[in-house]
Amino acid sequence: MHESSEQRVKVSERIPSAKAKELFYDIRRKQEIAKNDLLTASGLTTSTLTRVLDELVSIGVISESGLGTSTGGRRPILYQVRADYGYAFGLDISRFESRLILLDLAGQIIESVEWQMGAETTPDQLLGQVVSQANIWIAGHQIPFAKIIGMGIGAVGPLDRATGIIEETEWFPAPGWQNVEIVRLLEEQLNIPILLDNGANTAIIAEAWANRAKDFRHMLYVHGGTGLRLSMMSDSKPIYGAADMEGSFGQMIIQADGIPYRTTKGNYGSLDSYASVYAIEREVNSRLRTGRSSQLQQMLQPGERAKFSHIMQALKLLDPMVTEVVTQAATYFGIGLANLLNILYPEKVVLGGPLMTDSNLFFYTATQTAIRKTYHYPKYQVVFSKGSYGEEAIAVGAALLMLNQLT
C-alpha cells in the first residue's frame, strides 16, 4: 500500500451527515429494508428521507435492491448495504493462536488465516506475517486502496486503547510482548487506520452483530483460555471501565485463603487459579505426579508434562481422572459465572475460547452450575451460547469495530 496518509479518508468522514449515518446504521442492521419501514423507524419526512437515501446511494454505501411486497399501494423500494463499498481487516492476537480475517461492508468473511503462536512468534514476526497476508489478499481480490476502511485489532490485555499499546501482557510463548506499539507499527507498514481493543470486547461486538435481529441489549462474553477474559455490553454498547478490565473475571476471589496466583500480581484463591487452561494443566500434572492412573501416561514421553491438547484428547477417550479435573474446573467456572449473573442479570451470555470450543463437558457443567446458583431462577432466564463465530469471534469483532466507525 503506497498511498500517503494525506490521501486517506477518515473513516468517520466517509458518510458526512449525521442523518445519513443514522439511516445507514438502520439499513446495515438489516439484510434488506423497505423505504416505508425506514420512514417509520427514522421519523423523517418523506422528502428528507428520500434526500438522505439518495445521498447514501451516491456515496456508494447502499443500493436499491428491488421492490418489496405491496400493502395496498405501490410496492416499496428496498435498500441494502453495498458489500463491495469497502473492506476491513480484523486481527486477533491471542496466546495460543492469532488470526487475520477480511470482512466486507455487509459483514461477510472474505478471507481468514490462522497462525499458531510458538516460541518464535515475536511481535515483529507476527506483524510481518500480517502485513504480507493483507497485501496478498488486497492484490488477489484487486481491492482499490480507497476501499480499505482500516483494521481493527482484538488483543490480549492489559492494553491502552487510546495510545494503541499492548502493555504488560503475560504468558505469550515468545518474548517481546510487552509495551508493543501495535497501532503505530501497523499503521506505518499498511498506511491504513488501525484501532485497538481487547479481544473480549471485540468478540462481544461480533456476537452482538450476529444477534442483531434479536436485539439483545445486555450481554456478557467470557473467553476461557490460558486465562479468563471478560467483556460486557449494555444498551447494545460495550462497557469500558476506568482501566482495561479484560482480566477482571479471572481475579474474582473464590477462596480467600486458596491457591496462590501464578504470579505476584494476582489474588489468592482467584477464579483463574481454578478454572483456566493453566489451572487444568496444573491439576492434571499434579495428579499424574502422585501416581493417579490415566490414559495420558500412554500419550506422554517420560518426564513430559501434559498440555491442554493432550488433556482434551484424553477427555474424548472418557479418561476418568481427566474427566474429574475438567468437571471440577467447570464447576468453579460456573460459580464465578453465577456471581456475575447475580450482579449484572444479562439477557445472553456467550462463552468462547478453547475451554468452551474444545469441551462440551466444560460448557454444560459450567452453565448448569451457574443456573442452579443464580438468584431469581427460574423467573430470571438467561440464554447461554457458544457463540456464532467460534474461534473467529475476536477477529470478526475487530473488523466490525472498524466498520462501526462509519456511523
Side-chain angles (χ1 to χ4, degrees):
M1 300 185 197
H2 303 295
E3 300 198 24
S4 67
S5 57
E6 288 77 12
Q7 291 174 287
R8 294 192 322 211
V9 178
K10 287 186 179 179
V11 179
S12 61
E13 295 176 358
R14 284 176 175 258
I15 301 175
S17 75
K19 282 188 174 65
K21 289 177 188 288
E22 292 172 8
L23 208 57
F24 176 67
Y25 174 85
D26 291 337
I27 296 169
R28 186 167 167 249
R29 290 179 65 82
K30 306 285 186 180
Q31 277 194 323
E32 205 170 45
I33 189 168
K35 186 175 181 179
N36 292 351
D37 294 330
L38 288 170
L39 190 65
T40 302
S42 67
L44 299 174
T45 64
T46 303
S47 60
T48 301
L49 177 67
T50 300
R51 177 177 56 79
V52 177
L53 286 171
D54 288 345
E55 178 185 351
L56 290 170
V57 170
S58 67
I59 292 169
V61 293
I62 68 167
S63 63
E64 295 181 6
S65 56
L67 297 174
T69 303
S70 172
T71 56
R74 287 187 298 177
R75 295 171 65 191
I77 300 171
L78 298 175
Y79 291 91
Q80 65 180 13
V81 167
R82 278 193 58 181
D84 64 349
Y85 166 82
Y87 302 83
F89 295 102
L91 175 60
D92 166 14
I93 300 177
S94 296
R95 299 179 181 101
F96 278 169
E97 58 192 30
S98 291
R99 186 185 310 270
L100 183 69
I101 62 102
L102 178 65
L103 220 63
D104 67 21
L105 187 60
Q108 301 169 63
I109 299 173
I110 307 302
E111 295 280 6
S112 179
V113 66
E114 174 190 311
W115 298 286
Q116 296 301 310
M117 299 293 281
E120 74 290 344
T121 318
T122 62
D124 284 346
Q125 199 264 359
L126 179 65
L127 295 193
Q129 290 177 305
V130 169
V131 171
S132 174
Q133 189 63 67
N135 284 320
I136 288 170
W137 287 346
I138 289 168
H141 290 279
Q142 298 182 330
I143 302 172
F145 182 83
K147 290 193 173 189
I148 302 298
I149 294 170
M151 176 184 289
I153 305 170
V156 172
L159 50 81
D160 188 321
R161 295 183 300 121
T163 60
I165 296 175
I166 298 174
E167 298 181 323
E168 297 296 327
T169 57
E170 298 176 304
W171 315 311
F172 272 90
W177 285 100
Q178 289 81 37
N179 300 310
V180 181
E181 296 180 73
I182 191 79
V183 168
R184 179 185 64 80
L185 292 169
L186 280 172
E187 282 189 338
E188 286 178 354
Q189 296 184 66
L190 291 172
N191 196 28
I192 59 175
I194 310 282
L195 287 176
L196 173 67
D197 207 333
N198 73 55
N201 280 340
T202 65
I204 204 170
I205 289 170
E207 295 302 334
W209 172 259
N211 287 276
R212 62 194 182 280
K214 299 177 183 177
D215 200 28
F216 290 114
R217 294 177 60 205
H218 308 292
M219 292 177 62
L220 282 179
Y221 175 85
V222 183
H223 184 96
T226 302
L228 304 179
R229 302 158 70 180
L230 169 73
S231 61
M232 295 177 282
M233 182 173 280
S234 185
D235 287 330
S236 305
K237 296 179 181 178
I239 295 174
Y240 294 99
D244 181 30
M245 61 186 189
E246 185 188 48
S248 59
F249 182 50
Q251 288 305 308
M252 179 185 292
I253 297 171
I254 299 299
Q255 290 185 320
D257 61 345
I259 297 171
Y261 191 60
R262 52 186 130 165
T263 73
T264 58
K265 297 178 182 179
N267 292 320
Y268 274 82
S270 65
L271 183 61
D272 191 289
S273 297
Y274 293 85
S276 62
V277 166
Y278 161 80
I280 290 172
E281 289 180 340
R282 184 203 63 229
E283 184 64 22
V284 164
N285 283 290
S286 174
R287 296 190 185 199
L288 288 174
R289 287 194 299 272
T290 60
R292 283 289 301 272
S293 177
S294 170
Q295 294 177 71
L296 284 167
Q297 286 147 341
Q298 282 74 54
M299 300 179 194
L300 303 173
Q301 298 298 320
E304 183 184 6
R305 283 178 54 84
K307 295 182 180 178
F308 187 66
S309 57
H310 301 130
I311 295 168
M312 290 298 100
Q313 186 179 345
L315 186 64
K316 290 175 182 176
L317 297 173
L318 304 179
D319 182 272
M321 186 270 280
V322 167
T323 301
E324 181 183 330
V325 170
V326 172
T327 301
Q328 175 181 282
T331 301
Y332 276 117
F333 185 96
I335 292 169
L337 191 55
N339 289 338
L340 285 179
L341 298 182
N342 288 331
I343 296 169
L344 301 170
Y345 290 100
E347 298 163 283
K348 182 165 186 175
V349 177
V350 179
L351 302 175
L355 285 176
M356 308 303 162
T357 57
D358 292 356
S359 171
N360 287 330
L361 173 65
F362 195 101
F363 177 85
Y364 288 113
T365 302
T367 53
Q368 290 305 305
T369 301
I371 288 170
R372 288 195 302 270
K373 296 183 180 299
T374 299
Y375 196 53
H376 289 314
Y377 179 81
K379 183 179 179 181
Y380 164 64
Q381 294 285 335
V382 61
V383 177
F384 289 107
S385 167
K386 287 190 178 185
S388 303
Y389 291 106
E391 289 303 299
E392 291 184 318
I394 292 175
V396 169
L400 289 169
L401 175 70
M402 178 54 71
L403 293 178
N404 290 348
Q405 303 307 304
L406 290 167
T407 57

